Amino acid sequence: MKGIGGFYYVETADGIFECKAKGKFRKERIVPLAGDRVKITVRDGKENTIDEIFERKNCLKRPPVANIDTLMIVVSVADPAPNTLVIDKMTVLAEKNHIEPVIVITKTDLGSFDGLSEIYTKTGYRVIPVSGKTGEGVHEVKMLLKNHLTAFTGNSGVGKSTLINAVCPGLFLETNSISTKLGRGRHTTRQAEIFHVADGLVIDTAGFSSLDFIGEDVILKDDLQYYFPEFDQYLGQCQFVSCAHVKDKGCRICEAVQNGDISKSRHESYIALYNEVKDIKEWQL
């Protein structure tokens, strides 16, 4: 359910047990994550242990979670301003790990969100506008949680914990205001933790202000094109087989951007990510 300072809290049919991970995991550089299915040994008067971590269907390094069905990518209209590159990195990681990404736009009472919504509606992703003041979108988010393990992620201050509180008022997760000096949110959630919400399981995760590909999250440049679903119908139609879809001659994806069929913002994120990973070789992973 969560891990703090080397202690892991495991939910079973008999309750939640505090455990330590066996030393073999440290040797294998494996860390138990929120969402892991595990085998534990419970000892009277002695330390309980996690003995086995069962095979994961997926896992992310940031946020550090495993076996999730849905990634709720939370972005605010303002305070803090949306960072589409960070959003697009999260959608790419979700696509790579066969996780359904959902874009949740919060603080809709602070300004127009039409442009942001249009960017992600074109991808085919579900986009849910949410207002804490009016309650708009809260029920729709709640309906998506049933029978799923859902992680909420996004920049600090976008309102992840506030949204979860709105969906399940009895949780009383800690929230905080935006730093007027820094213009970004303060970190209130410090670790990934699972809660029972709306007949499903929800992971509240720590916020961040930037995002880098690390560990198993690293992506090869030749694979990146497959993680932008709006590119799918154009792949294989470019003039050159080796087309990188950046500014290549005869590129069908660049043409679709010019025609407005693919969002310019998404293509700019693709180029930024391509340049970030273009020098990574498969043997380096």
PDB file of all heavy atoms in Angstrom, residues 8 35 165 187:
ATOM      1  N   TYR A   8       7.426  -1.345   4.623  1.00  0.00           N
ATOM      2  CA  TYR A   8       6.380  -1.470   3.612  1.00  0.00           C
ATOM      3  C   TYR A   8       5.110  -1.987   4.275  1.00  0.00           C
ATOM      4  O   TYR A   8       5.157  -2.897   5.112  1.00  0.00           O
ATOM      5  CB  TYR A   8       6.834  -2.421   2.498  1.00  0.00           C
ATOM      6  CG  TYR A   8       8.095  -1.938   1.833  1.00  0.00           C
ATOM      7  CD1 TYR A   8       9.344  -2.378   2.259  1.00  0.00           C
ATOM      8  CD2 TYR A   8       8.044  -1.008   0.796  1.00  0.00           C
ATOM      9  CE1 TYR A   8      10.512  -1.911   1.669  1.00  0.00           C
ATOM     10  CE2 TYR A   8       9.198  -0.529   0.209  1.00  0.00           C
ATOM     11  CZ  TYR A   8      10.432  -0.986   0.646  1.00  0.00           C
ATOM     12  OH  TYR A   8      11.578  -0.507   0.068  1.00  0.00           O
ATOM     13  N   GLY A  35       1.338  -1.008  -5.231  1.00  0.00           N
ATOM     14  CA  GLY A  35       0.671  -1.743  -6.304  1.00  0.00           C
ATOM     15  C   GLY A  35       1.231  -3.131  -6.525  1.00  0.00           C
ATOM     16  O   GLY A  35       0.629  -3.938  -7.236  1.00  0.00           O
ATOM     17  N   ASN A 165      -9.837  13.938  -2.735  1.00  0.00           N
ATOM     18  CA  ASN A 165     -10.726  14.298  -1.623  1.00  0.00           C
ATOM     19  C   ASN A 165     -12.143  14.569  -2.111  1.00  0.00           C
ATOM     20  O   ASN A 165     -13.122  14.236  -1.437  1.00  0.00           O
ATOM     21  CB  ASN A 165     -10.191  15.534  -0.897  1.00  0.00           C
ATOM     22  CG  ASN A 165      -9.019  15.224   0.023  1.00  0.00           C
ATOM     23  OD1 ASN A 165      -8.848  14.094   0.468  1.00  0.00           O
ATOM     24  ND2 ASN A 165      -8.202  16.223   0.299  1.00  0.00           N
ATOM     25  N   HIS A 187       5.088  20.491  -2.247  1.00  0.00           N
ATOM     26  CA  HIS A 187       4.883  19.048  -2.161  1.00  0.00           C
ATOM     27  C   HIS A 187       4.153  18.703  -0.864  1.00  0.00           C
ATOM     28  O   HIS A 187       4.673  18.936   0.224  1.00  0.00           O
ATOM     29  CB  HIS A 187       6.220  18.303  -2.201  1.00  0.00           C
ATOM     30  CG  HIS A 187       7.012  18.560  -3.443  1.00  0.00           C
ATOM     31  ND1 HIS A 187       6.689  18.012  -4.662  1.00  0.00           N
ATOM     32  CD2 HIS A 187       8.106  19.321  -3.666  1.00  0.00           C
ATOM     33  CE1 HIS A 187       7.561  18.414  -5.579  1.00  0.00           C
ATOM     34  NE2 HIS A 187       8.421  19.204  -4.989  1.00  0.00           N
TER      35      HIS A 187
END
